[in-house]
Amino acid sequence: MNPAQTQPQPQPQTQHQPQTPAPAPANLPRFIARGLVPTAEQRAVQLSQNKVTLVDANAGAAKTTTLALRAGEALARKLAPEQILVLTFTPEARDVMRQRLLEVGIPSGQAERIAVATFEQFSARQLDAIDIDGVRTCSEPRQLKQMALAAMDRVGERYAGRLDSLELHTHSIAVSQFIETQLTLKATMALEADVEFIGPEEAAEQLGVPVADYLTTLEYETLRLDGGAGARWRGPFDATYDLACNLTGGARLAERFPDYRLVLCDELHDLNEAAFRILAALIDRSQCFFVGAGDRDQVIYARLGASDTYLNQRFAARFPRLVRHRLTYSYRHGPHLAYAMAAFKDKPVDSHLALHTEISQPHYDDADHCARQVVAAVRRWQADGHPLDGCAILLRDRHQSVAIENALIEAAIDYRTPAMAGYLQRDEILFLRGMLAIALRDFGAIKAAEVRSAVVDALVAFSEMAFTARRIDHFKSQIAKAPDLLGELFLIEEEHRDGVEPGWRDAASASTKRAVIDAIAWLSTLDRATPAAAVLTGLCERVQLVAAARRIFVRPYDADVVNKSVAGLLAWAAGSGLGLADFWAAMNAREAFIRRKRAPKAVLIECVANAKGKEYDHVILPYLQADEFPHPQQPRRDEDNLFYVAATRARLKLTLLSPADNGQRSAFLARLRLAQGSAAADAAIARNQAQLAAAAAAPGRHYLTATYQERDAVKALGAQFDMARRAWYVERGADLAPFARWLKK
């Protein structure tokens, strides 16, 4: 019996063609992978000969390895490497794919000739044929700031006084929000919408974006494309968007595509409209075959146009004769977590591993107690002999890190936040730090120059002042030499363009700025021993920080995250019992702890959305409560997928932290059905162990006891990996002396 049938999960119905059965024995593979034995599911994909093949894969189901096998099979059937294209969505996924091509046994000389690129790289190469000279590439959003400000100026000149709903801001937060909005509009190809006979306010409402960002996007694109003459610069995703635009409306750029006979695409759940159009143009070529793999339950980038409609409907509508295959088994974690995910997502999930992935469920009474439980979980992980860098704390969103970072600092546990700024470097906290620095005349206590610069940006943003970028940069250079000049920021006369009514950019600027100046005056009257919690609470009320966040951040959810982050800081101040001066010193000491040279091994703190595509030995999910995860302001399907992504990052252990009060716990926990699936998971582990024992006893192979951490050592000695058994082995007759410590007794 197929092991997948031992897990009593219902088979979901599909409106598309049924799954293709495994190939007949006559269709034998010509590519023999090095170091692994493919499963029957992988073999079916490797041998697929259909024009379009979609692979519905579970998390950890070796999607990338399976696509590499398909490339190897094409090469074995004499397809030239130059006729294979592999597309990914991120540079990290591109690099992993290149490594997998080598690991499955494709000779390095052939692998190097296969085109492996992100959609953005591929698009830029195709656009070379029509680009004017000197197109500037801006790989980082910060490089787009001046162009964004120029577009905002043009909007102000055209529409100031004409649109009541127009509120233009030029601070760093507004620029960041604009860049994100224009990415969304491009990824979804929304700028093609027919809005010729409606006004800009109605058009923006129809597209679901602020009118200021919509109009700025139009002006930005006019500047970027030089009024239609050609691209002058490209930021992140612009090449993909430009290529998609040049494949429609009579453009013939697709005719210039290289003669790819096989196109492979990984992480297909990240597909958006622009990328789909490019894929469709490639597949439309008569000699091209396509194989793409994705997990519809990992669609979490909706703001960048990702949607499960591509896997569910769009491919089938465009290519009705497509076939589907499954990758059911996870090779990341054992049956206990696999069956919990099967219950959570109501789909077949299994594991070939003889591994008990532990699922722990400690409870907490409040936010600080949750943070202490995180520390306890990390300590237990260490006590069991595991390294800290194998442990990841995954958050629903960044505001949850405040108490956790403080608890780790107090426990002297090193941590890192690579993609997510630590709480002391976030705009809302930097604003409060700047206010305290002005009041205490101690801006010099913030030692790092880049943090001082960020403090100035945050003060401008939350004070809603209308300064030109040039003026602020000049001020930053001054305070870099004399930090105590920070308070002079609010004495700078605000600038406006000639002929433009003062205040067109910042309607609330005057009152907000006055409130900030009054708050600084109030702070200067306080005794330095005044309890910090009372000071910060009063400060937030005086500058109306909650209301300011709602004005500055377009999405209510983003404003909520900011205000929760501030609440976390206030809670720390209250719990510390420190006076203002001592709290200021403690805050800067904590930043010094974070910025010092860390030990090589450190715990990771990351938002779930940034962890997709990665895996960790131990995953800790804190704050699993009803008002946090799932978040009531977000679409429930998106929240389901985020939790699925978070839980399936774990290999050896998953720690789920939820309130002691059962009524406050996240509904996700009950859906895992851990108690009901435990017996089936135990039976699956026994099944997997029996299969390993039978394989070890079979003639032809010696199976090894090598662990995941020892994989490089045994591979270097010549061992091979049995994908179906998830175990390393050496062939009978080989010299066993180098493998003595891993031989099964």
Side-chain angles (χ1 to χ4, degrees):
M1 176 180 290
N2 186 328
Q5 295 173 342
T6 64
Q7 169 63 4
Q9 296 298 331
Q11 297 287 335
Q13 299 296 315
T14 176
Q15 59 181 329
H16 309 313
Q17 294 195 10
Q19 178 179 340
T20 302
N27 186 21
L28 296 175
R30 299 184 189 179
F31 176 72
I32 305 302
R34 181 186 66 201
L36 67 88
V37 178
T39 65
E41 290 181 332
Q42 291 177 312
R43 186 67 52 80
V45 176
Q46 178 181 341
L47 296 175
S48 175
Q49 298 179 8
N50 300 91
K51 172 76 172 173
V52 177
T53 300
L54 294 187
V55 182
D56 295 313
N58 291 329
K63 295 184 290 294
T64 309
T65 298
T66 303
L67 292 175
L69 291 172
R70 182 67 184 85
E73 185 66 22
L75 294 171
R77 293 176 184 264
K78 307 305 181 185
L79 188 66
E82 290 80 6
Q83 292 182 309
I84 300 176
L85 170 66
V86 185
L87 290 172
T88 67
F89 290 88
T90 65
E92 294 81 7
R94 174 202 61 203
D95 295 342
V96 170
M97 174 58 77
R98 285 176 175 158
Q99 184 63 30
R100 292 293 184 272
L101 293 173
L102 297 173
E103 289 176 353
V104 299
I106 296 174
S108 60
Q110 285 189 312
E112 289 172 1
R113 292 161 57 194
I114 295 175
V116 183
T118 64
F119 273 92
E120 191 72 354
Q121 284 178 315
F122 172 78
S123 300
R125 292 169 189 166
Q126 305 313 308
L127 290 166
D128 283 344
I130 62 171
D131 275 343
I132 59 177
D133 293 335
V135 177
R136 178 184 173 191
T137 299
C138 302
S139 57
E140 297 293 333
R142 59 183 173 78
Q143 296 173 294
L144 305 175
K145 180 177 179 179
Q146 295 306 318
M147 289 81 96
L149 291 172
M152 291 176 181
D153 284 342
R154 287 169 62 113
V155 173
E157 292 165 357
R158 288 174 183 260
Y159 296 98
R162 291 174 50 194
L163 299 176
D164 293 337
S165 61
L166 181 65
E167 288 189 20
L168 283 168
H169 303 274
T170 58
H171 51 68
S172 57
I173 296 175
V175 172
S176 296
Q177 288 185 156
F178 155 71
I179 290 173
E180 184 176 281
T181 298
Q182 60 96 22
L183 276 174
T184 300
L185 291 171
K186 292 175 182 177
T188 57
M189 304 298 290
L191 294 177
E192 291 185 345
D194 185 4
V195 295
E196 183 178 359
F197 299 107
I198 62 176
E201 291 171 305
E202 186 179 349
E205 183 178 2
Q206 180 176 308
L207 296 175
V209 298
V211 66
D213 287 344
Y214 170 65
L215 292 173
T216 303
T217 298
L218 298 181
E219 296 295 341
Y220 178 87
E221 285 299 282
T222 299
L223 290 170
R224 188 178 72 83
L225 300 175
D226 198 15
R232 297 167 56 202
W233 74 84
R234 289 198 178 101
F237 192 75
D238 277 339
T240 303
Y241 173 69
D242 288 347
L243 180 58
C245 291
N246 277 281
L247 296 176
T248 58
R252 305 177 66 179
L253 195 56
E255 296 177 4
R256 298 175 180 264
F257 283 177
D259 184 24
Y260 294 118
R261 301 287 297 280
L262 175 63
V263 175
L264 306 173
C265 185
D266 202 2
E267 303 289 313
L268 209 54
H269 41 265
D270 289 337
L271 200 62
N272 54 41
E273 183 62 26
F276 178 74
R277 293 188 185 186
I278 294 171
L279 269 186
L282 285 163
I283 299 170
D284 281 341
R285 297 171 73 89
S286 60
Q287 298 299 312
C288 183
F289 288 73
F290 173 72
V291 182
D295 181 355
R296 67 193 72 194
D297 292 311
Q298 292 194 58
V299 176
I300 62 174
Y301 296 142
R303 292 173 73 180
L304 290 179
S307 170
D308 59 6
T309 59
Y310 297 100
L311 282 168
N312 291 342
Q313 291 101 30
R314 293 290 299 283
F315 269 106
R318 181 68 180 268
F319 307 103
R321 300 183 66 181
L322 66 80
V323 297
R324 293 179 180 271
H325 293 281
R326 288 188 181 280
L327 292 178
T328 305
Y329 292 89
S330 175
Y331 300 101
R332 179 177 296 152
H333 42 255
H336 286 81
L337 183 51
Y339 290 178
M341 291 297 99
F344 183 75
K345 278 296 188 179
D346 192 23
K347 69 176 183 178
V349 185
D350 209 328
S351 171
H352 272 311
L353 303 187
L355 168 70
H356 185 165
T357 299
E358 180 186 353
I359 302 177
S360 175
Q361 297 190 78
H363 301 304
Y364 59 86
D365 298 321
D366 54 35
D368 286 338
H369 188 204
C370 182
R372 293 195 298 273
Q373 290 282 44
V374 169
V375 170
V378 173
R379 290 296 193 206
R380 285 192 293 271
W381 180 251
Q382 281 185 299
D384 290 338
H386 299 293
L388 280 178
D389 59 348
C391 185
I393 304 163
L394 301 185
L395 311 176
R396 172 59 188 83
D397 218 321
R398 58 191 179 86
H399 67 276
Q400 295 177 336
S401 80
V402 179
I404 292 174
E405 288 188 61
N406 284 329
L408 291 171
I409 292 171
E410 291 165 6
I413 296 175
D414 280 321
Y415 68 90
R416 54 195 176 91
T417 57
M420 176 194 71
Y423 80 91
L424 287 171
Q425 280 77 48
R426 293 176 195 152
D427 291 316
E428 60 273 18
I429 306 301
L430 289 170
F431 168 72
L432 294 174
R433 292 176 68 185
M435 294 291 284
L436 296 182
I438 293 171
L440 296 170
R441 299 182 180 277
D442 193 21
F443 195 38
I446 300 177
K447 303 300 183 184
E450 64 269 26
V451 178
R452 291 182 191 172
S453 177
V455 166
V456 175
D457 286 334
L459 284 169
V460 171
F462 279 88
S463 300
E464 300 184 85
M465 294 186 291
F467 291 134
T468 63
R470 178 186 57 81
R471 194 73 176 272
I472 290 301
D473 288 342
H474 176 67
F475 184 72
K476 286 179 183 178
S477 67
Q478 288 183 307
I479 64 170
K481 303 171 186 175
D484 287 342
L485 288 176
L486 180 64
E488 304 297 316
L489 174 66
F490 297 97
L491 301 180
I492 300 176
E493 188 68 26
E494 297 182 66
E495 294 179 328
H496 302 285
R497 294 176 62 89
D498 293 338
V500 179
E501 288 295 324
W504 64 260
R505 279 177 170 167
D506 299 271
S509 174
S511 61
T512 304
K513 179 181 175 182
R514 174 51 54 192
V516 171
I517 292 174
D518 291 345
I520 292 173
W522 170 73
L523 285 170
S524 66
T525 67
L526 299 177
D527 189 304
R528 292 186 170 218
T530 305
V535 174
L536 287 170
T537 300
L539 175 59
C540 291
E541 291 173 351
R542 287 172 180 270
V543 300
Q544 298 182 322
L545 195 57
V546 171
R550 289 174 180 161
R551 283 195 303 271
I552 294 168
F553 293 89
V554 175
R555 295 197 314 156
Y557 173 81
D558 293 335
D560 186 52
V561 167
V562 166
N563 289 322
K564 285 183 176 179
S565 184
V566 171
L569 181 73
L570 297 181
W572 170 37
S576 72
L578 295 174
L580 178 58
D582 290 339
F583 184 76
W584 171 249
M587 185 183 294
N588 292 311
R590 296 202 169 188
E591 181 170 74
F593 174 89
I594 296 167
R595 297 182 64 85
R596 83 193 197 291
K597 184 177 180 180
R598 297 184 179 88
K601 298 184 183 300
V603 175
L604 173 72
I605 305 178
E606 188 62 280
C607 288
V608 175
N610 295 326
K612 193 173 71 64
K614 303 172 186 176
E615 56 184 38
Y616 313 96
D617 285 339
H618 182 195
V619 169
I620 300 172
L621 301 183
Y623 302 112
L624 294 177
Q625 56 196 57
D627 59 343
E628 286 284 339
F629 204 2
H631 196 282
Q633 291 182 340
Q634 297 298 91
R636 185 54 179 266
R637 178 62 186 271
D638 293 352
E639 295 295 288
D640 282 9
N641 289 355
L642 270 176
F643 182 79
Y644 171 81
V645 167
T648 56
R649 301 309 94 194
R651 282 196 292 254
L652 304 181
K653 185 173 183 179
L654 175 65
T655 297
L656 305 170
L657 293 167
S658 62
D661 183 349
N662 187 52
Q664 296 180 11
R665 293 176 193 165
S666 168
F668 290 159
L669 297 172
R671 288 173 51 189
L672 298 176
R673 300 173 62 189
L674 295 178
Q676 296 91 324
S678 180
D682 290 339
I685 289 178
R687 172 201 72 199
N688 294 344
Q689 289 172 335
Q691 290 176 342
L692 280 172
R701 291 180 181 176
H702 291 285
Y703 277 81
L704 309 176
T705 60
T707 64
Y708 178 83
Q709 287 76 17
E710 297 169 322
R711 64 192 184 282
D712 293 333
V714 295
K715 184 178 180 181
L717 293 171
Q720 300 187 71
F721 192 68
D722 185 332
M723 181 66 78
R725 305 288 178 256
R726 198 63 177 172
W728 292 92
Y729 70 91
V730 291
E731 297 288 355
R732 300 283 181 180
D735 181 8
L736 299 180
F739 303 97
R741 65 190 178 103
W742 295 297
L743 289 173
K744 290 181 177 291
K745 300 295 186 289

